[in-house]
Structure formats: structure tokens, C-alpha cells
């Protein structure tokens, strides 16, 4: 603790008169500062928690949805003393908001404590977590078929786009399951952008089975929990190793999809809180 001239004088006086001395107690803050023997150091005691009510508001809370964030800021904040900060990294899949209820205002002579905070990170939907979780992860023929079946309702067909329907993807998935014990023979690219894969039975080299693999498909899923769905394009990939196929998919520009979904949340928070809005990090300790 840094001592002032007043503090040094009090300690010297305490040594002379051999008894504790009250130094600059703040009755409004329920704080007492006393010089104590034997080393005559200063000790500060804070009894503010014994008061009937706190001297001022401060809190650190975390809410789970946009409306709760907005309502908290409106309940406790003001247009002159509150700010909202947005930390967005779409390539890393992160978006978070911090509301500072008692932030510094425009008046340079009126500082604030900046310790009444509300945090909010929009929760991603289960569909978004599932599809992004398996992005670029190779799967065996059987595992890929199971994945497609489990998430079939997410597959979206856009009229006139040439992308496969959910039923076509299901048929493809079932074909994968039917050929799981076969050996890969060849792949021929089709005029419609798909790929024709040929398989032969291990015990009958003359038996051929063919199935069309779609090179591109689309899914329609919400980015955030309870949010609107967005179309996400995907590329289907495969690799042959030791006569067996591994499949995976690559989602196209998920950062742009996240940015589009986040812009809706940002616009809502800006409009309904009315507080000054900043992109960045407030560095609150």
C-alpha cells in the first residue's frame, strides 16, 4: 500500500503516543484504516458487507440467450454509462458479447468502475456442432453411411441446383452399406458432376456393382440454438486405400455462414439495447 504524507505522519505520531490511531476512515464506505503496533503498519478493514444494502451495483453474470442479454442491459444500464462489446472471430468459429453496465462515459472527468458485467456467447445448434464436428474427418464406408442416415433430414435440395435430394443421399448411403464387403475397382466421373464407383466381390471378380456418388450436396441447418436455418454447401470426398474406401465431406466457407447468422444477432442487440457498440475486447480483469 502506497503511503501519503498524512499516513507517514500518523504512523510517526502512533509510535510517539504508543496507541493505535484511526487514519482517514471513510464512514460512507464503511472502511476503517488504523495504524497498529508493534510494527506500526497500516491495516484496512472493510465492513461494507455489513451494511443493509451495497453502496453501488457491481456483478459478473453470464446469460444464455440474446433476449436475456438485452433485458439485463436495459434493466441495469443506461444510454450514457453502458457499452456493448463484440469479439468475433468467424474463421475460428467464435462470437461473444460483453455488456459493461458502468463503463466510462463521454465526460472525461467522470470515471467509472467498469465492474458490472454481463457476458453472452450464442449457443451453437446441435446440427451445427455435429456437421462442423465431422468436417474433413475421414470415415469408413459403414460409418459414413450411418452418419448420412442419422442426419438425413438436414440435407437440403435446392430446386434447379442439381444437388441431390435427401432420398437420393439415403439411397447412396444404403448402397454404401450394401458394398461394404466389396473391393473398390474404379471411379468414373459423370457428366452431371457425380462419380460412378465400381466394386467387385472378393470371391467373384466378375460381379460388379456401381453407385453414383454426388460430388456436391447441401445441408440446411440453424447456426445458433433456436435460430433460423442457413444453407451450407458441402463437397463429398473419398480416398481408396488397400481396396477400401474412406469418405469425408468439406463444408464450404462456414466462416461466411457464421458471419451471416451473427449479423442478425448483432443487429438485434444494437437496436434493442441502444448502447454504444464496439467490435473488440474491453480487457476487463
Amino acid at each position: 500500500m502506497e503511503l501519503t504524507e498524512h499516513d507517514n505522519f500518523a504512523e510517526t505520531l502512533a509510535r510517539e503516543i504508543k496507541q493505535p490511531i484511526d487514519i482517514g476512515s471513510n464512514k460512507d464506505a464503511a472502511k476503517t484504516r488504523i495504524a497498529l503496533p508493534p510494527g506500526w503498519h497500516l491495516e484496512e478493514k472493510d465492513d461494507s458487507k455489513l451494511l443493509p444494502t451495497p453502496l453501488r451495483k457491481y456483478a459478473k453474470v453470464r446469460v444464455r440467450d440474446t433476449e436475456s442479454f438485452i433485458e439485463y442491459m436495459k434493466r441495469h444500464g443506461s444510454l450514457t454509462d453502458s457499452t456493448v462489446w463484440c469479439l468475433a472471430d468467424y474463421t475460428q468459429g467464435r462470437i461473444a458479447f460483453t455488456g459493461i453496465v458502468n463503463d466510462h462515459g463521454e465526460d472525461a472527468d467522470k470515471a467509472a468502475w467498469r465492474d458490472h458485467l454481463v457476458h453472452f456467447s450464442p449457443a451453437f445448434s446441435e446440427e451445427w456442432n455435429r456437421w462442423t464436428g465431422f468436417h474433413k474427418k475421414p470415415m469408413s464406408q459403414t460409418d459414413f453411411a450411418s452418419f448420412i442416415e442419422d442426419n438425413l433430414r438436414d440435407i437440403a435440395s435446392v430446386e434447379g441446383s442439381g444437388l441431390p435430394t435427401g432420398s437420393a443421399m439415403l439411397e447412396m448411403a444404403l448402397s454404401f452399406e450394401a458394398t461394404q464387403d466389396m473391393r473398390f475397382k474404379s471411379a468414373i466421373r459423370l457428366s452431371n458432376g457425380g462419380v460412378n464407383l465400381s466394386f467387385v466381390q472378393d470371391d467373384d471378380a466378375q460381379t460388379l456393382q456401381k453407385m453414383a456418388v454426388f460430388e456436391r450436396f447441401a445441408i440446411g441447418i440453424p447456426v445458433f440454438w433456436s435460430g433460423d436455418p442457413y444453407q451450407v454447401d458441402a463437397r463429398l470426398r473419398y480416398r481408396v486405400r488397400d481396396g477400401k474406401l474412406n469418405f469425408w465431406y468439406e463444408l464450404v466457407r462456414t466462416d461466411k455462414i457464421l458471419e451471416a447468422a451473427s449479423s442478425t444477432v448483432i443487429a438485434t442487440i444494437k437496436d434493442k439495447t441502444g448502447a454504444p457498440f464496439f467490435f473488440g475486447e474491453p480487457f476487463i480483469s
Side-chain angles (χ1 to χ4, degrees), residues 214-229:
F214 299 101
E215 191 172 51
R216 295 178 68 93
F217 64 97
I219 57 177
I221 58 174
V223 176
F224 299 125
W225 176 72
S226 195
D228 296 328

Side-chain angles (χ1 to χ4, degrees), residues 89-93 128 252-261:
D89 189 339
Y90 302 124
T91 58
Q92 296 298 318
W128 180 266
V252 180
R253 295 305 301 270
T254 54
D255 60 317
K256 289 299 182 182
I257 306 298
L258 176 57
E259 183 177 0

Side-chain angles (χ1 to χ4, degrees), residues 1-175:
M1 178 184 300
E2 184 178 350
L3 301 180
T4 64
E5 284 187 21
H6 178 69
D7 297 330
N8 291 329
F9 172 76
E11 287 191 341
T12 301
L13 183 61
R15 283 193 293 269
E16 292 296 329
I17 65 176
K18 309 299 184 184
Q19 64 182 17
I21 292 185
D22 188 337
I23 302 173
S25 294
N26 188 337
K27 295 181 179 179
D28 292 335
K31 291 184 179 180
T32 303
R33 301 176 69 208
I34 300 175
L36 296 173
W40 297 108
H41 63 279
L42 289 180
E43 182 172 298
E44 182 173 283
K45 185 179 181 182
D46 187 354
D47 290 327
S48 59
K49 292 184 178 180
L50 302 178
L51 296 174
T53 59
L55 295 169
R56 62 183 181 85
K57 288 183 178 180
Y58 64 95
K60 293 182 180 180
V61 300
R62 185 175 299 278
V63 296
R64 296 299 183 185
D65 59 26
T66 306
E67 288 304 315
S68 296
F69 182 85
I70 292 169
E71 289 305 314
Y72 193 92
M73 289 296 295
K74 290 171 65 175
R75 180 182 179 88
H76 298 286
S78 70
L79 298 180
T80 57
D81 300 325
S82 301
T83 58
V84 176
W85 297 74
C86 176
L87 184 60
D89 189 339
Y90 302 124
T91 58
Q92 296 298 318
R94 293 198 298 265
I95 176 77
F97 299 88
T98 297
I100 306 178
V101 175
N102 56 346
D103 204 349
H104 303 313
E106 295 182 353
D107 191 335
D109 297 326
K110 293 183 179 179
W113 286 102
R114 306 184 83 225
D115 58 0
H116 191 174
L117 312 173
V118 53
H119 300 284
F120 168 52
S121 295
F124 289 110
S125 70
E126 174 61 27
E127 296 88 345
W128 180 266
N129 286 332
R130 187 173 299 181
W131 282 96
T132 57
F134 283 91
H135 170 65
K136 293 185 177 181
K137 289 188 177 180
M139 289 177 271
S140 69
Q141 192 171 325
T142 303
D143 290 341
F144 184 75
S146 297
F147 182 85
I148 292 298
E149 288 186 275
D150 291 342
N151 301 281
L152 185 63
R153 68 178 185 175
D154 297 335
I155 297 172
S157 176
V158 181
E159 186 176 354
S161 66
L163 298 175
T165 62
S167 59
M169 292 290 287
L170 176 59
E171 182 180 353
M172 181 182 67
L174 294 175
S175 297

